[in-house]
Amino acid sequence: MNVLEKARRMLKAKAVRPTMIRVRLLAYLLAHPVHPTADQLYQALLPGFPTLSKTSVYNTLDKLLEVKLVRLITIDEKETRYDAGTGVHGHFLCKHCSDITDFAANPDYTGCTELSGYQIDDCNVYLTGICKVCLQNINKTQKEEKAV
Amino acid sequence: MNVLEKARRMLKAKAVRPTMIRVRLLAYLLAHPVHPTADQLYQALLPGFPTLSKTSVYNTLDKLLEVKLVRLITIDEKETRYDAGTGVHGHFLCKHCSDITDFAANPDYTGCTELSGYQIDDCNVYLTGICKVCLQNINKTQKEEKAV
DNA sequence: TTACAATATTGTAACCATTACAATTTAATA
DNA sequence: TATTAAATTGTAATGGTTACAATATTGTAA
């Protein structure tokens, strides 16, 4: 089953009309788990969908958020990112290359005294730092500078 | 020691000039751990500091962030909030009343395979849901509606 | 199929938090 | 006091997001 069909079924399962935009946008998110911004989604879908408007991207994302097929990621305060990845997982933002890496995280705060009696609907774990690749590049550069 | 003096000492310890704005803003954050927005800080400080400008609030926050006396909270994608609370703790956002509650959280992801070799500098845990008080109000309202 | 109503999409303009920048003020040092 | 660096301010711009009205599309029923 290709990703378009998969997206179509996911939408139907949530009783959301599987319109062109919705299917394509969800399919893109499923096929490209890189947490794109709204603008990146717009730019990516535009070639295959020339009548697409930015507003429609936002409308579509709102609808997908509403039925929880998509999650918001606010790890970067500059712009919101979107993720169709299911299941709880954390996000690591590299301050050097701005890439976001997923990692396994399923924290349990039900026993937390401060939150006793609270209804917890959603959980996001955001880490920031420097990723492996950037660390290696930085080390390499420093050695070269020393050598000079 | 009052909170202004405490703020002054914290700034000196970080080698940041304890200017009027910085001392007052940090003191306000220490005394009001409610995670205000930049605009809320501006409105709160303005009466006691009529020449204050919005830009200065942002500049001051940037400086305090730089020396890590303040943390960013991006749990709400609409606007950034600021927190002078020290130590790792999580934030719970009530979707009903928009209040943010702190809770103890000190997750350890150093053993996480996906992040092996990564340098982790900062950690934020964001939960959303409905707080105790709002849950009780909702229940009360529902009972009253049933009674009618 | 056709007509109608509901829903979805689009373009434009507005909104608003944040930032850029240049001018002014304040503070530190000699 | 003079000099210089740092801090503060006001204005204008930036840019992601949203409001809204017009248009297009879809689903349903006759």
Side-chain angles (χ1 to χ4, degrees), chain A residues 19-106:
Chain A
T19 64
M20 191 81 118
I21 299 181
R22 289 171 183 170
V23 172
R24 291 206 187 188
L25 194 149
L26 181 54
Y28 185 89
L29 280 176
L30 291 170
H32 304 83
V34 294
H35 322 92
T37 64
D39 187 63
Q40 286 169 342
L41 285 166
Y42 174 69
Q43 300 298 341
L45 297 175
L46 196 58
F49 197 152
T51 64
L52 185 66
S53 75
K54 203 84 158 281
T55 305
S56 295
V57 172
Y58 281 106
N59 288 341
T60 304
L61 286 169
D62 282 347
K63 177 59 82 174
L64 296 181
L65 285 168
E66 191 185 313
V67 298
K68 294 188 192 289
L69 284 176
V70 164
R71 281 170 69 195
L72 272 183
I73 302 177
T74 58
I75 193 170
D76 181 354
E77 74 272 18
K78 306 291 177 195
E79 47 195 358
T80 305
R81 294 167 172 278
Y82 300 90
D83 185 1
T86 50
V88 178
H89 61 269
H91 293 105
F92 175 95
L93 171 67
C94 176
K95 287 181 290 189
H96 206 256
C97 65
S98 299
D99 269 9
I100 295 181
T101 310
D102 291 350
F103 62 89
N106 201 346

Side-chain angles (χ1 to χ4, degrees), chain A residues 88 105-112 115 120 123 125, chain B residues 103-105 107 109 125 127:
Chain A
V88 178
N106 201 346
D108 180 16
Y109 294 103
T110 49
C112 185
L115 300 179
I120 301 174
C123 174
V125 180
Chain B
F103 62 90
Y109 294 103
V125 180
L127 303 182

